[in-house]
Amino acid sequence: MKLATPQPARHPSPTAKATALAYLVFQRPDLDRAEQFLTDFGLRTVLREDGLLFLRGTGPAPFCYVVRQAEKARFVGFGLQLDSLAELEALSRLPGASAPEPLTWPGGGRRVRLTDPSGFQVDAVFGQSSVEALPHRPALAFNSADTVLRVNETQRPPTAPAEIIRLGHVVLELADYQATCAWYTQHFGFIPSDVLVLPDGSPAVAFMRLDLGSAPADHHTLALAQGFAPMYSHSAYELVDADAVGMGQRMLRDKGWKHAWGIGRHILGSQIFDYWQDPWGDKHEHYCDGDLFTADRPTGIHPVSREGMAQWGQIMPSSFTRPKLTAANLAALVSNLRRSPDLSVAKLRTLAKLFG
């Protein structure tokens, strides 16, 4: 397969290189309901005050999830961590960027506020302090036909909500695909790990990793999918092992939350996954055992298909990708078809046949 468009592609000299996905920001009309789902899902409350809710995993990040009280539920954007003040200042000189300013949230630091070409808010963050990691249970020792690690001992993972260790990745849908892909590779140094393409060679999904040089990075920290409008698709949170994913499913099902897809193992990224919907229908993924690539690994190009989303497990249900047919979405569809160079009726029809 060949990519028929300029993007996604590595940029030879990016403005900065992000080193981590720091946090996500959501607006919700009911903080109590949001906190109940997120704690059942496995995050832990750090702080709640002045209409803001901060949650963390067991890792050293001071928080990874922000909920802001608002009348309308929506995904606002996310923070990307930088390793140098010089990079933060370079980003502050981009058109529309804020000046560097103190970040008054847990962990402190400084940030520059930007808006990507699709309208998502992106905070470039430098100098945020880590906190002491919280204990979580170690990965279970597995017996296999060839290796015995456990004798006279049983396998009894605790019956408890999942222990989320860290925020792993976020996936967005875009109408302006080429410009938005180029923005993230040029200004934050993202590297396309794998790209799924339509029969005409245009990209349907790009899985993009951080450029950490010779240090291994998650297969994707940011994934961008062609859609008819800018939308949050899902975010993913790492657990210690597959039993934690399974126990997380049991606990969320017992609490009455809505399941979206899983358990299975992805093909691109290899994660064992399980997806759940929050009270506003936004998907959140538990995962473990993802692939790690260094900067040397070249980009893979693959044909897109629904069956190609998982090695095993349930075939992805059509409800997983079907958009809500609201008046606002229909208006965005018509407007973006007229305006965006990346959209056509034929392309949307192909995507609908594959995933609708």
Side-chain angles (χ1 to χ4, degrees), residues 79 104 190 197 205 225-226 273 302 353:
T104 58
F190 279 98
V197 298
V205 185
Q226 178 71 67
F273 63 83
H302 317 274
K353 285 181 179 177

Side-chain angles (χ1 to χ4, degrees), residues 21-26 28 34 37-44 53-59 61 63-67 75-79 161-172 218 220-221 232-242 244-246 248-249 252 266 271-278 282-290:
L21 177 60
Y23 52 81
L24 308 179
V25 182
F26 292 81
R28 299 301 188 213
F37 169 78
L38 293 167
T39 53
D40 288 344
F41 186 69
L43 290 167
R44 305 180 187 206
L53 171 65
F54 297 88
L55 302 104
R56 63 173 288 189
T58 63
F63 65 95
C64 66
Y65 201 109
V66 185
V67 187
F75 172 70
V76 177
F78 54 97
E163 293 178 304
I164 287 173
I165 298 170
R166 67 184 179 101
L167 169 64
H169 63 257
V170 63
V171 181
L172 306 175
D218 288 339
H220 57 282
T221 292
Y232 165 89
S233 170
H234 71 267
S235 50
Y237 305 81
E238 186 170 23
L239 308 184
V240 69
D241 58 20
V245 176
Q249 181 178 97
L252 286 162
H266 284 306
Q271 303 95 336
I272 292 177
F273 63 83
D274 192 35
Y275 292 87
W276 288 83
Q277 293 186 28
D278 75 3
D282 283 334
K283 297 184 288 294
H284 293 62
E285 175 188 2
H286 282 154
Y287 79 91
C288 69
D289 194 26

Side-chain angles (χ1 to χ4, degrees), residues 292-322:
L292 299 171
F293 290 174
T294 70
D296 293 334
R297 172 101 177 186
T299 299
I301 308 294
H302 317 274
V304 65
S305 71
R306 179 182 293 182
E307 293 75 14
M309 302 303 288
Q311 299 181 49
W312 53 259
Q314 178 193 19
I315 297 295
M316 186 172 69
S318 57
S319 58
F320 191 80
T321 54
R322 184 183 302 138

Side-chain angles (χ1 to χ4, degrees), residues 76-140:
V76 177
F78 54 97
L80 291 170
Q81 183 176 302
L82 305 176
D83 269 359
S84 80
L85 181 60
E87 290 178 305
L88 188 74
E89 291 173 340
L91 289 168
S92 73
R93 293 190 285 273
L94 295 180
S98 74
E101 61 185 22
L103 183 59
T104 58
W105 293 349
R110 297 177 68 79
R111 73 173 171 183
V112 166
R113 288 173 293 158
L114 305 110
T115 303
D116 76 13
S118 290
F120 293 107
Q121 177 183 312
V122 180
D123 291 350
V125 178
F126 168 72
Q128 193 180 40
S129 299
S130 298
V131 295
E132 184 175 354
L134 303 173
H136 62 79
R137 77 160 171 82
L140 297 180

